[in-house]
Amino acid sequence: MNPNTLHTWATIAAVVITATAGDILIAGGMRKLGDLDNIRAKSGLLGAIKAVLSSGMFLAGITCMALSFFSLLFALSGADLSLIAPATASLTFITTAAAAKFFLKENVDTRRWIAALFVCAGVALLAK
């Protein structure tokens, strides 16, 4: 495998993994907090902000999203946007659906899995 190709796919993987982890951690953290409208009604806006910012899962998710952003910058420094943008977006769609099913126990229906297969096919076409 060409070293540039290996670098490109390694950085795409870093973006996808960190973005997926960020999405799952933020969603899990917000679910643990509950309805922000209820928190705001009881504690006001500052209370709601404090509740969010004191959530370890939420902060871990924000950290993962920051790592994803910097991984994206690193990916773009060595590869074309026309490959990086669609590959990271589409692969993140797939991994987030799988992670949501397994970690958040979401019901990911057949239609979404079929869409994910089409996304994989599209990424494979981009890679050639």
Side-chain angles (χ1 to χ4, degrees), residues 33-122:
L33 279 177
D35 189 351
L36 282 181
D37 283 335
N38 291 341
I39 296 170
R40 188 180 52 77
K42 290 179 187 172
S43 305
L45 180 60
L46 291 178
I49 292 170
K50 181 181 175 190
V52 170
L53 294 179
S54 65
S55 167
M57 282 183 78
F58 180 82
L59 294 176
I62 293 295
T63 302
C64 286
M65 294 303 264
L67 290 171
S68 176
F69 174 74
F70 288 109
S71 297
L72 178 62
L73 294 179
F74 192 65
L76 291 171
S77 72
D80 293 338
L81 175 65
S82 61
L83 170 64
I84 298 296
T88 56
S90 58
L91 293 172
T92 300
F93 168 76
I94 295 164
T95 57
T96 300
K101 177 159 183 66
F102 295 111
F103 295 113
L104 301 177
K105 308 298 184 221
E106 290 184 3
N107 180 24
V108 181
D109 62 10
T110 304
R111 181 180 50 86
R112 289 187 196 173
W113 291 121
I114 291 170
L117 289 174
F118 281 115
V119 167
C120 287

Side-chain angles (χ1 to χ4, degrees), residues 14-40:
V15 172
V16 170
I17 291 166
T18 53
T20 300
D23 288 339
I24 296 303
L25 288 166
I26 289 171
M30 295 308 294
R31 286 181 184 181
K32 276 180 100 172
L33 279 177
D35 189 351
L36 282 181
D37 283 335
N38 291 341
I39 296 170
R40 188 180 52 77

